[in-house]
Amino acid sequence: MILSAASATWLALPAVLAYVVASLPAAEGQRWPAQALMAAWLLHGLMLLAGADFQGSHGGLRLGFAPVLSFTLWLVLLVHGIESRLMPVGQLRRLLAWGGVAAVALAWLFPGEVRAVAHSRWAPLHWVLGLTSYGLFGAAVLHALMLDSADQRLRGKGPGPATALGLPLLKLERLTFRFVEAGFVVLTLALVLGLASPNWSWRDHKTVLSLLGWATFAALIAGRLWRGWRGRQATRWLYAGTLLLLLAYVGSRFVLEVLLHRPVT
């Protein structure tokens, strides 16, 4: 391998510095903040790749709570990069940059000594789909926060342009729940593949919370389709489902790895 686990430590510092540079105030139209954010994103990705440890004898992969959170933020930044090509989303730059600082620092402090072993041939795809669903729901939450913020400003100031991120609120709302729908499909596939694992158990906290999160997103999609849920009523369900998913994997791993110091496979 070109990258080793030790490389992750050396990549963490420049990634953090690049994110800090990207978070600095800048006049509108200047390109260096976006360039710094792109450089930080690339370094962040290399750090995650270096710390993945693909050299396990059984195709192991380190999936501690911090690397999963870090990868989720990395995917959200990928979505932001794509959207920035299509619409003006520069006001999110500083927020995401500071999120990147926290994500890189957390993954460096808690790299995840636990190695997830592929107990079935579907396990690697299950991991990829699970991580992807985290990223999609993370992007949905980010858009929902912007949506709620714009809605609150609109309600406080009375009549005015109903826009956020340069988009009409209704269009932003549709975009938000496109991420929810995509995340739900990916999460469903991940859960179905998880059934093929011999380690699957209905008594496992991760399983129960994941299914509760799935049911929450299913209720949200059904509520929007048949009951016309919109605005804060819908975003509350989104936040609740995302919180359940975070508790399912990140929360359970945090307790086992950091608080109880128990080995997890």
Side-chain angles (χ1 to χ4, degrees):
M1 289 180 62
I2 297 176
L3 294 175
S4 65
S7 303
T9 299
W10 296 104
L11 288 165
L13 181 58
V16 167
L17 291 176
Y19 275 129
V20 170
V21 171
S23 71
L24 297 176
E28 187 176 354
Q30 291 190 329
R31 299 181 59 185
W32 62 263
Q35 293 169 346
L37 190 61
M38 173 61 73
W41 180 81
L42 290 172
L43 290 167
H44 187 172
L46 289 173
M47 186 195 95
L48 292 171
L49 181 62
D53 190 9
F54 291 104
Q55 297 184 19
S57 59
H58 297 90
L61 179 66
R62 294 185 180 186
L63 290 174
F65 82 95
V68 167
L69 275 179
S70 190
F71 184 71
T72 299
L73 194 281
W74 187 84
L75 286 176
V76 172
L77 279 162
L78 174 61
V79 171
H80 171 270
I82 295 173
E83 284 187 335
S84 64
R85 302 284 182 177
L86 305 174
M87 65 186 75
V89 291
Q91 55 266 53
L92 297 177
R93 169 183 55 85
R94 300 185 68 188
L95 174 65
L96 290 173
W98 283 115
V101 170
V104 170
L106 196 63
W108 177 71
L109 291 171
F110 301 98
E113 295 300 327
V114 180
R115 179 171 296 161
V117 178
H119 295 286
S120 74
R121 62 176 179 172
W122 299 112
L125 182 58
H126 168 71
W127 297 335
V128 169
L129 291 173
L131 290 170
T132 302
S133 71
Y134 263 54
L136 289 169
F137 286 125
V141 166
L142 180 66
H143 286 75
L145 289 171
M146 298 298 106
L147 184 65
D148 284 345
S149 177
D151 181 67
Q152 185 176 12
R153 290 197 305 269
L154 184 63
R155 291 175 184 273
K157 295 181 179 179
T163 61
L165 303 180
L167 292 174
L169 289 188
L170 290 179
K171 188 171 183 179
L172 177 60
E173 186 179 52
R174 286 195 296 270
L175 178 62
T176 300
F177 290 98
R178 289 293 180 269
F179 283 114
V180 173
E181 292 161 2
F184 179 76
V185 171
V186 174
L187 177 62
T188 301
L189 293 174
L191 291 175
V192 169
L193 290 177
L195 291 171
S197 171
N199 285 353
W200 184 277
S201 171
W202 293 102
R203 294 176 294 178
D204 182 45
H205 290 89
K206 182 178 69 173
T207 300
V208 173
L209 289 169
S210 295
L211 290 174
L212 286 174
W214 180 90
T216 302
F217 289 122
L220 169 58
I221 292 172
R224 281 182 56 80
L225 181 63
W226 290 308
R227 302 295 296 274
W229 291 355
R230 294 179 57 190
R232 292 192 176 184
Q233 182 181 22
T235 57
R236 287 193 189 102
W237 282 82
L238 169 56
Y239 300 147
T242 303
L243 179 60
L244 286 168
L245 279 190
L246 282 175
L247 291 174
Y249 190 90
V250 174
S252 61
R253 289 276 172 155
F254 175 80
V255 171
L256 291 172
E257 294 175 29
V258 179
L259 300 183
L260 301 179
H261 302 286
R262 289 184 183 176
V264 185
T265 57

